[in-house]
Amino acid sequence: MSGVSAILLAAGESTRMGRLKALLPWQGATLIEYQVSSLLDAGVSQLVVVVGHRGDEVGAPIAGRSDVTIVENPDYRQGKTTSIKAGLRALSPDATAILVLAVDQPRPPDVLRTVIEAHLSRSPLITSPVYGGRGGHPMIFDASLLPELLAIAEESEGLREVTRRHASDIYKLELDDPVVRADVNTPEDLQSALPLFEGRG
């Protein structure tokens, strides 16, 4: 087991997409099923999925899985930080690192595995994949940062507050793969992202 616990954020209202992003068809399944499978295939030790808006519907495709913990965030309307913290509170005390990914940031298992292995081999405070000089996702945080992560707030830009504080301790993993910056927020984003996944798991 890697000791890496993952939090998959799926609590938002998907207002810009116009329909639930977690339930978008993706690679022969729903996007949430794809993300869950990718994270588990990549070797995370624990997977916590945070739902909120229409949580029963969002969680339905993965309900009953023994390898996934579904956490409901009743405060999701107050911002993404509330979902991150709901996920953090459900993590195993054995976690050595914490991976955070949003459901609308699809990542193939090989990319996730590369980021996880890079983090485990170097043990930095934070690992961030980079493409074309710009940061991507997922980010992985050393478990020693848990108290700081639990203290994030919307007004201080959430995780950015932590990454700014530890900017000199971030391992920027350069990847020649634009998929690390894919973000499916709108129908246009969806159409732009689909070609990046052709022929990939």
Side-chain angles (χ1 to χ4, degrees), residues 1-199:
M1 303 292 278
S2 67
V4 177
S5 289
I7 298 171
L8 183 65
L9 305 170
E13 296 181 82
S14 304
T15 50
R16 293 170 64 193
M17 180 61 70
R19 52 180 172 152
L20 290 173
K21 290 181 281 190
L23 301 184
L24 289 171
W26 193 272
Q27 300 280 302
T30 61
L31 185 53
I32 194 167
E33 288 174 288
Y34 174 85
Q35 291 282 63
V36 164
S37 294
S38 284
L39 285 160
L40 292 172
D41 289 349
V44 300
S45 298
Q46 178 192 20
L47 176 53
V48 175
V49 178
V50 183
V51 300
H53 179 66
R54 292 163 62 182
D56 288 346
E57 291 176 66
V58 170
I62 57 171
R65 292 190 60 145
S66 61
D67 50 2
V68 178
T69 300
I70 299 177
V71 173
E72 186 167 352
N73 173 23
D75 302 318
Y76 68 89
R77 288 189 180 91
Q78 296 176 27
K80 185 180 287 187
T81 57
T82 65
S83 292
I84 294 171
K85 289 192 281 190
L88 291 169
R89 288 191 288 268
L91 294 185
S92 164
D94 298 328
T96 60
I98 303 159
L99 182 154
V100 181
L101 186 64
V103 74
D104 59 3
Q105 297 167 332
R107 299 293 182 264
D110 63 304
V111 169
L112 294 172
R113 193 176 301 113
T114 296
V115 179
I116 289 170
E117 290 177 352
H119 181 83
L120 293 175
S121 67
R122 290 179 174 252
S123 298
L125 274 183
I126 303 170
T127 295
S128 171
V130 173
Y131 173 75
R134 301 180 70 189
H137 296 277
M139 299 189 79
I140 304 181
F141 300 83
D142 187 84
S144 65
L145 293 173
L146 182 58
E148 292 183 45
L149 294 171
L150 284 168
I152 60 174
E154 289 295 313
E155 54 269 24
S156 52
E157 296 186 88
L159 293 179
R160 290 183 183 178
E161 176 185 3
V162 179
T163 57
R164 279 197 296 263
R165 188 179 300 135
H166 300 287
S168 62
D169 297 308
I170 299 175
Y171 171 41
K172 297 180 178 180
L173 175 63
E174 293 278 355
L175 295 178
D176 188 21
D177 193 337
V179 78
V180 299
R181 288 194 48 80
D183 205 334
V184 183
N185 272 316
T186 66
E188 294 74 24
D189 292 338
L190 177 61
Q191 293 308 310
S192 297
L194 287 171
L196 300 177
F197 288 80
E198 290 179 2

